[in-house]
Amino acid sequence: MPNNRSAAEISECIRCGTCCKKGGPSLHHEDTVLIEKGLILSKYLFTIREGEMSYDNVTGQLIPASSDIIKIKGRKGSLTCVFFNEPESACTIYDKRPLECRILECWDTREIERVYAKTRLTRKHLVSTIAGLWDLIDDHQARCSYEKINRLLKMLGGDNKDDALKEILEMIQYDTQIREMTVQKGGLDPDIVDFLFGRPIKETIGMYGFKLKKQGDAYRLITIPTGQNL
Ligand code: SF4
């Protein structure tokens, strides 16, 4: 439906799709049933891990996540929610859409602001009863936490920078290999690894002003010029 009205004139959902194009929703405890019943498959989800820098929709700032945030993926190369049907300007899971989508009123954001950071669903809620898989996730989290990444990145400016760099590169290698291993040896769908292990560190490290560069068989960490952070 064409939307010719200004934001000030809107007092009901006119299905303009603006909210669905700004990124998929974060999931809450109330959405557990959607996962458990297979109405939303885990291949459509990704995890922002505790401590990872993430865009806060309410404050509009990039801040560290206070816990896991499970989100619905965007379409490749865009923020638009994977369940949004652009030509029809419609949600393809409308009757089963998550809590945030049900309570969001773009003309009055008080309710979404009240709920936004509460009762967030985490990987522990969804996967901790799956023996073996949860141990893998827990081990990955211990070895690759954002607390550790932050600490090592800060050390790059100090006397122990060589040790810190070595540890970061080993961490990125492990983070990459565990994804490949769960797919190749564990037979898991490659589309679910960003839900199980969060976004690859070799990508998220861009938010800290660094990127990986391959040189022969080895990787180097280089600084991204100011203003070009991912
Ligand atoms: S789940 Fe549906 S309503 Fe929610 S953001 Fe995606 S397309 Fe929009």
Side-chain angles (χ1 to χ4, degrees):
M1 179 186 294
N3 170 24
N4 296 322
R5 284 186 267 175
S6 70
E9 292 174 307
I10 296 172
S11 60
E12 61 183 341
C13 179
I14 57 168
R15 295 180 56 193
C16 63
T18 302
C19 54
C20 307
K21 293 179 195 165
K22 285 184 175 173
S26 306
L27 301 186
H28 297 258
H29 291 181
E30 291 84 343
D31 301 314
T32 308
V33 65
L34 301 176
I35 315 287
E36 287 178 347
K37 288 191 172 175
L39 298 167
I40 295 179
L41 300 176
S42 44
K43 69 177 181 177
Y44 296 123
L45 306 175
F46 72 96
T47 301
I48 293 173
R49 295 191 291 129
E50 182 177 342
E52 183 176 340
M53 298 303 282
S54 73
Y55 183 77
D56 185 285
N57 286 347
V58 170
T59 64
Q61 293 177 326
L62 206 57
I63 57 171
S66 57
S67 70
D68 268 4
I69 302 175
I70 313 287
K71 283 182 74 80
I72 291 185
K73 288 178 181 173
R75 288 194 189 286
K76 284 232 176 308
S78 82
L79 287 174
T80 300
C81 175
V82 74
F83 292 118
F84 187 61
N85 177 335
E86 204 134 0
E88 301 283 327
S89 194
C91 171
T92 54
I93 57 164
Y94 188 79
D95 291 339
K96 311 292 179 208
R97 66 201 190 285
L99 176 73
E100 286 191 3
C101 306
R102 282 185 272 124
I103 64 171
L104 176 64
E105 294 176 337
C106 60
W107 60 95
D108 180 358
T109 56
R110 282 174 293 184
E111 183 62 3
I112 188 82
E113 285 173 28
R114 190 183 67 76
V115 167
Y116 184 67
K118 291 183 185 159
T119 68
R120 276 196 174 137
L121 211 47
T122 67
R123 290 172 296 171
K124 193 167 189 178
H125 291 120
L126 297 171
V127 191
S128 63
T129 54
I130 305 176
L133 185 57
W134 177 247
D135 294 338
L136 219 50
I137 292 170
D138 208 25
D139 188 49
H140 171 266
Q141 183 60 19
R143 293 172 65 162
C144 302
S145 70
Y146 278 93
E147 181 275 327
K148 191 172 174 183
I149 293 171
N150 275 307
R151 183 167 47 77
L152 290 170
L153 289 175
K154 279 186 192 143
M155 285 169 63
L156 290 177
D159 294 341
N160 296 322
K161 63 175 188 242
D162 290 344
D163 291 342
L165 182 60
K166 182 168 175 279
E167 221 177 313
I168 292 170
L169 293 175
E170 284 172 356
M171 185 193 290
I172 292 174
Q173 189 178 25
Y174 166 76
D175 180 64
T176 305
Q177 286 173 343
I178 192 109
R179 294 161 197 272
E180 293 167 358
M181 192 189 80
T182 48
V183 172
Q184 287 165 8
K185 296 194 176 160
L188 296 183
D189 183 342
D191 287 339
I192 73 165
V193 293
D194 286 2
F195 161 62
L196 298 178
F197 303 111
R199 297 184 287 185
I201 300 172
K202 63 184 178 189
E203 292 175 13
T204 59
I205 203 140
M207 286 188 285
Y208 299 87
F210 296 93
K211 72 174 176 183
L212 274 185
K213 189 166 183 191
K214 195 163 188 195
Q215 226 171 31
D217 287 339
Y219 281 98
R220 282 176 54 219
L221 204 58
I222 57 172
T223 311
I224 302 172
T226 311
Q228 291 183 25
N229 292 16
L230 303 178

